[in-house]
């Protein structure tokens, strides 16, 4: 954000550079790069060149942070608010903040900075990024939750994140979980992911089992959800070298620490192991887990059920368009108690998997036929094909192993869920499907919230930003569940009821500042926007009144700033 007053470019030899022929940057330090073996300058943008006046620039708020005001001509340091403010998403987020009491929790924890905390969460949702230096651009064009809609600089954002304490982070999560019903049976859907770290001196960043760039240190990141409300409950960060399965035990203790004692876990196939299941048995924690379909003993369960339920309407689960049957038997030979093995068959899934498999077989046969006339070892290629050779060992023909291929195809379309408690195949699938929301949240967290890579320069800032993004995740998921409920009720125009599409549409609801200095609604709410607002529980006819009230708030705020 640039001020309108022109000032001289600072005369600091060796510290001032011009980037992209327009941006004035000031060197604030250097960082040694051990790979390249030289120091890399750290620069901040302090101004933008005046196109029509040499030696002059329009300063940014960073200029005020690094240069004293003594001897500098006085100028208006109040950034100008945009003449066009995007209203729609702000109103939706404000409703959810009130609904969940996030404003009260934030005020209790952060006092005067509560508004900035909520604005940062909203910024992450709207802009799909989390870089603090771009927050002033968002604040310039949106209503804010800060007192009097005050716009803060990126320097203030950086200071706020850096100064956030452990007590504040822990206190926020404690207050958030205090409002939950601790007595009912809940299943916590648990998953984890990791995030590459491009930061400098971060204690949590270690080389581990990275899913993306193997050469980057990572921070593991996991979130627990209450599937009943589909609400994020808490999150955990831990060093990158700790594998997910060992962290599960810590997550159990953390869950109990928040007061959830009557709990179960819904887990992905990555946690399927004899040790994990035994540990949850010892803790008395029920579980629902997707089994690894490639394991031979799992295929044994499929074989036991195959041919007994795939076309019988008695086993039809209408909501998910699958057939499901439950078997009660030992999961492992060394088990002391039976498990409930739920075997499912999906005809569409079978057809899709078989078609893909046939295509792969065709491609393999085409490639293997190129080996005809050659003399080479094909042992690793003989799973689905037989290579006939002449007396000299030269390949003369490639023959598909039809029996093996057909057996492989017969396994397709099946999947297995294992539960420790007795329940129907329908109930088990419904509970596990709730876990899909957790996967969508991880995609949202990493893709839509710009949280796939940490770029902060300290442990404090990373932990603070994680809390901001966790709150953004709470809000974003509530928007998702509003839409999910609306779709279940048969609402029309479902193609607009995705979070990214809805936000894009809501951002078109705008306040425009007219010649008298007052903001007014730019145009009536469109039919598509009405569908979205109704799905969010906001009556479209109330938008003009909400816009007028906000306009009055902005008018008062601008007068107070004079």
């Amino acid at each position: 954000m640039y001020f309108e007053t022109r000032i001289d470019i600072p005369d600091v030899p060796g510290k001032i550079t011009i980037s992209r022929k327009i941006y004035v940057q000031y060197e604030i330090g250097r960082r040694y790069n051990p790979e390249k073996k030289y120091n890399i300058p750290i620069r901040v943008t302090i101004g933008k060149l005046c196109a029509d006046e040499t030696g002059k620039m329009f300063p940014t708020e960073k200029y005020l942070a690094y240069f004293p005001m003594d001897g500098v001509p006085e100028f208006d340091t109040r950034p100008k608010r945009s003449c066009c403010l995007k209203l729609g998403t702000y109103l939706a987020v404000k409703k959810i903040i009130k609904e969940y009491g996030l404003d009260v929790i934030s005020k209790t924890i952060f006092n005067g900075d509560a508004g900035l905390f909520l604005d940062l969460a909203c910024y992450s949702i709207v802009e799909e990024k989390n870089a603090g230096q771009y927050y002033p651009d968002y604040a310039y064009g949106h209503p804010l939750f800060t007192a009097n809609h005050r716009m803060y600089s990126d320097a203030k954002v950086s200071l706020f994140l850096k100064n956030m304490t452990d007590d504040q982070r822990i206190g926020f999560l404690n207050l958030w979980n205090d409002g939950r019903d601790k007595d009912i049976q809940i299943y916590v859907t648990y998953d984890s992911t990791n995030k590459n770290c491009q930061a400098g001196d971060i204690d949590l960043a270690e080389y581990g089992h990275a899913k993306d760039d193997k050469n980057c240190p990572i921070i593991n990141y996991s979130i627990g959800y209450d599937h009943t409300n589909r609400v994020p409950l808490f999150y955990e960060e831990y060093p990158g070298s700790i594998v997910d399965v060992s962290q599960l035990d810590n997550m159990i203790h953390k869950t109990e620490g928040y007061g959830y004692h009557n709990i179960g876990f819904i887990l992905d196939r990555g946690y399927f192991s004899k040790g994990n299941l035994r540990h949850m048995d010892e803790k008395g924690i029920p579980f629902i887990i997707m089994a690894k379909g490639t394991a031979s003993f799992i295929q044994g369960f499929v074989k036991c059920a195959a041919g007994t339920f795939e076309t019988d309407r008695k086993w039809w689960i209408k909501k998910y368009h699958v057939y499901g049957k439950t078997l009660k038997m030992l999961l492992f030979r060394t088990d002391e108690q039976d498990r409930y093995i739920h075997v499912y068959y999906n005809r569409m899934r079978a057809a899709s998997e078989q078609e893909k498999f046939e295509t792969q077989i065709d491609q393999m046969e085409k490639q293997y036929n190129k080996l005809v006339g050659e003399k080479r070892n094909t042992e690793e290629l003989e799973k689905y094909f037989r290579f006939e050779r002449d007396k000299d060992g030269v390949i003369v023909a490639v023959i598909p192993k039809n029996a093996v291929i057909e057996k492989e195809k017969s396994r397709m379309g099946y999947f297995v869920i294992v539960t420790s408690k007795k329940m129907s195949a329908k109930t088990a699938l419904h509970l596990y499907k709730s876990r899909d929301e957790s996967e969508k949240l991880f995609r949202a967290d990493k893709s839509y919230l710009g949280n796939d890579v940490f770029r902060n320069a300290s442990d404090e800032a990373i932990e603070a930003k994680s809390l901001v993004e966790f709150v953004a995740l709470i809000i974003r998921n509530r928007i998702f569940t509003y839409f999910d409920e609306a779709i279940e009720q048969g609402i029309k125009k479902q193609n607009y009821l995705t979070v990214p599409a809805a936000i894009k549409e809501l951002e078109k609801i705008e306040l425009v500042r007219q010649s008298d200095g007052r903001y007014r609604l730019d145009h009536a709410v469109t039919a598509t926007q009405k569908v979205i607002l109704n799905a969010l529980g906001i009556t479209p006819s109330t938008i003009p009144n909400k816009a007028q009230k906000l306009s009055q708030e902005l008018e008062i705020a601008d007068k107070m700033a004079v």
Side-chain angles (χ1 to χ4, degrees):
M1 190 177 299
Y2 300 93
F3 299 116
E4 297 181 357
T5 303
R6 302 166 183 245
I7 66 170
D8 293 329
I9 296 174
D11 183 15
V12 188
K15 297 289 186 179
I16 300 294
T17 58
I18 307 299
S19 172
R20 301 180 185 177
K21 299 181 180 180
I22 186 170
Y23 299 108
V24 181
Q25 295 190 327
Y26 174 63
E27 183 179 318
I28 61 173
R30 289 176 174 264
R31 181 173 59 233
Y32 181 71
N33 187 318
E35 293 182 359
K36 297 181 179 180
K37 297 184 178 179
Y38 59 76
N39 290 319
I40 298 175
I42 303 172
R43 299 187 177 99
V44 295
T45 299
I46 60 170
K48 182 169 65 175
L49 292 178
C50 298
D52 57 350
E53 189 173 3
T54 304
K56 296 285 187 177
M57 71 175 190
F58 296 107
T60 68
E61 289 168 321
K62 285 285 188 183
Y63 175 84
L64 301 179
Y66 291 103
F67 289 88
M69 294 298 295
D70 294 342
V72 178
E74 293 185 1
F75 58 89
D76 184 5
T77 59
R78 290 182 293 106
K80 305 297 182 183
R81 202 183 308 275
S82 174
C83 61
C84 179
L85 300 181
K86 302 180 187 300
L87 175 66
T89 308
Y90 168 82
L91 293 178
V93 171
K94 185 176 182 180
K95 178 182 184 297
I96 294 169
I97 287 173
K98 290 288 185 182
E99 176 186 347
Y100 279 154
L102 291 170
D103 52 341
V104 176
I105 297 175
S106 300
K107 181 68 175 177
T108 302
I109 299 299
F110 299 111
N111 299 315
D113 287 328
L116 176 59
F117 176 75
L118 295 173
D119 281 327
L120 289 173
C122 191
Y123 158 65
S124 293
I125 298 170
V126 172
E127 298 296 333
E128 299 181 2
K129 63 179 68 169
N130 62 15
Q133 63 264 37
Y134 301 120
Y135 168 77
D137 295 329
Y138 163 83
Y140 177 72
H142 289 82
L144 301 171
F145 294 104
T146 52
N148 296 316
H149 299 269
R150 181 175 179 180
M151 294 178 286
Y152 285 112
S153 67
D154 55 346
K156 167 64 176 179
V157 171
S158 177
L159 190 64
F160 170 69
L161 294 175
K162 183 179 179 181
N163 291 338
M164 190 183 296
T165 66
D166 289 337
D167 285 344
Q168 288 175 319
R169 289 186 291 272
I170 295 170
F172 188 97
L173 291 174
N174 286 339
L175 287 177
W176 172 243
N177 283 276
D178 281 348
R180 307 287 146 197
D181 187 347
K182 306 298 175 63
D183 297 325
I184 62 171
Q185 167 76 62
I186 68 167
Y187 276 93
V188 177
T189 60
Y190 173 72
D191 201 349
S192 61
T193 188
N194 53 54
K195 299 177 183 182
N196 295 338
C197 184
Q198 296 180 358
D201 187 16
I202 305 296
D203 291 339
L204 285 173
E206 296 180 0
Y207 290 93
H209 303 272
K211 298 175 182 177
D212 300 313
D213 188 347
K214 307 294 183 182
N215 297 318
C216 283
I218 60 174
I219 295 172
N220 283 330
Y221 184 74
S222 58
I223 304 179
Y225 305 90
D226 175 354
H227 95 277
T228 304
N229 298 316
R230 292 186 291 185
V231 174
L233 298 175
F234 44 83
Y235 68 94
E236 175 80 351
E237 292 172 343
Y238 49 100
S241 61
I242 298 179
V243 297
D244 293 343
V245 289
S246 63
Q247 178 60 17
L248 178 60
D249 189 38
N250 290 333
M251 190 56 121
I252 291 173
H253 291 301
K254 181 177 283 288
T255 306
E256 293 174 339
Y258 284 117
Y260 301 105
H261 298 292
N262 192 15
I263 65 171
F265 274 84
I266 303 176
L267 303 167
D268 190 15
R269 65 192 68 197
Y271 298 92
F272 191 95
S273 72
K274 189 182 298 185
N276 274 346
L277 302 190
R278 183 183 298 115
H279 182 73
M280 284 187 283
D281 283 337
E282 292 172 354
K283 297 283 291 184
I285 295 176
F287 60 82
I288 298 170
I289 188 166
M290 177 70 78
K292 295 180 179 179
T294 56
S296 59
F297 70 95
I298 293 299
Q299 290 300 321
F301 298 136
V302 171
K303 187 176 180 180
C304 286
T308 67
F309 73 102
E310 294 91 331
T311 59
D312 191 338
R313 291 288 296 182
K314 180 174 67 173
W315 309 109
W316 175 245
I317 304 174
K318 182 178 179 180
K319 182 175 181 179
Y320 302 107
H321 297 280
V322 301
Y323 293 87
K325 186 175 183 179
T326 301
L327 308 173
K328 183 181 180 182
M329 54 199 308
L330 293 176
L331 183 58
F332 302 106
R333 292 181 180 178
T334 56
D335 276 353
E336 298 179 356
Q337 57 180 311
D338 287 332
R339 306 293 189 185
Y340 295 89
I341 317 296
H342 310 279
V343 183
Y344 303 90
Y345 178 73
N346 185 317
R347 285 177 293 186
M348 296 293 291
R349 177 172 176 170
S352 175
E353 290 178 353
Q354 289 172 4
E355 182 179 0
K356 183 178 179 180
F357 179 64
E358 289 285 11
T359 301
Q360 292 173 340
I361 291 295
D362 289 341
Q363 292 173 345
M364 292 166 68
E365 185 173 15
K366 182 179 179 180
Q367 291 296 320
Y368 296 168
N369 279 325
K370 294 179 181 180
L371 302 178
V372 173
E374 295 185 10
K375 185 178 180 180
R376 58 166 290 183
N377 183 5
T378 58
E379 183 178 353
E380 61 182 19
L381 308 178
E382 294 178 1
K383 181 176 181 179
Y384 300 115
F385 292 89
R386 178 168 51 87
F387 293 80
E388 290 192 353
R389 302 171 185 270
D390 62 16
K391 61 181 181 179
D392 296 322
V394 176
I395 299 172
V396 295
V398 179
I399 311 298
K401 296 180 180 179
N402 291 329
V404 175
I405 293 172
E406 286 304 311
K407 183 177 180 181
E408 189 81 8
K409 288 169 60 178
S410 69
R411 298 173 176 175
M412 295 177 180
Y414 294 92
F415 60 97
V416 175
I417 294 175
V418 179
T419 63
S420 58
K421 293 180 66 175
K422 182 180 179 180
M423 63 182 68
S424 67
K426 180 179 178 180
T427 300
L429 183 59
H430 176 71
L431 290 170
Y432 187 80
K433 280 292 185 180
S434 69
R435 192 193 161 280
D436 289 347
E437 309 310 328
S438 111
E439 289 188 339
K440 289 173 183 176
L441 282 168
F442 273 117
R443 289 196 293 271
D445 187 31
K446 297 181 75 171
S447 301
Y448 296 126
L449 303 185
N451 197 13
D452 55 336
V453 176
F454 286 119
R455 296 181 176 86
N456 300 69
S458 69
D459 288 291
E460 293 82 3
I462 278 189
E463 291 171 354
K465 183 173 285 188
S466 292
L467 180 60
V468 171
E469 289 162 348
F470 177 73
V471 173
L473 208 56
I474 292 171
I475 296 169
R476 192 182 190 281
N477 193 50
R478 184 60 182 123
I479 297 174
F480 174 86
T481 54
Y482 267 127
F483 293 162
D484 195 38
E485 292 162 1
I487 291 172
E488 287 184 0
Q489 295 170 7
I491 195 170
K492 296 181 179 179
K493 292 192 176 182
Q494 295 181 9
N495 55 317
Y496 293 103
L497 298 185
T498 66
V499 180
I503 289 176
K504 184 177 180 180
E505 196 64 32
L506 290 175
E507 287 289 276
K508 297 176 184 177
I509 302 177
E510 297 174 334
L511 288 176
V512 176
R513 187 172 58 208
Q514 297 182 311
S515 56
D516 62 357
R518 293 183 178 180
Y519 284 93
R520 292 179 175 84
L521 197 63
D522 187 34
H523 54 74
V525 178
T526 67
T528 298
Q529 291 164 354
K530 288 179 180 179
V531 171
I532 296 170
L533 290 169
N534 279 322
L536 291 169
I538 300 175
T539 305
S541 60
T542 64
I543 296 300
N545 289 335
K546 294 179 185 295
Q548 183 178 6
K549 182 178 179 180
L550 182 59
S551 176
Q552 293 171 350
E553 292 177 9
L554 292 168
E555 186 177 1
I556 294 172
D558 289 342
K559 287 180 179 178
M560 293 180 65
V562 174

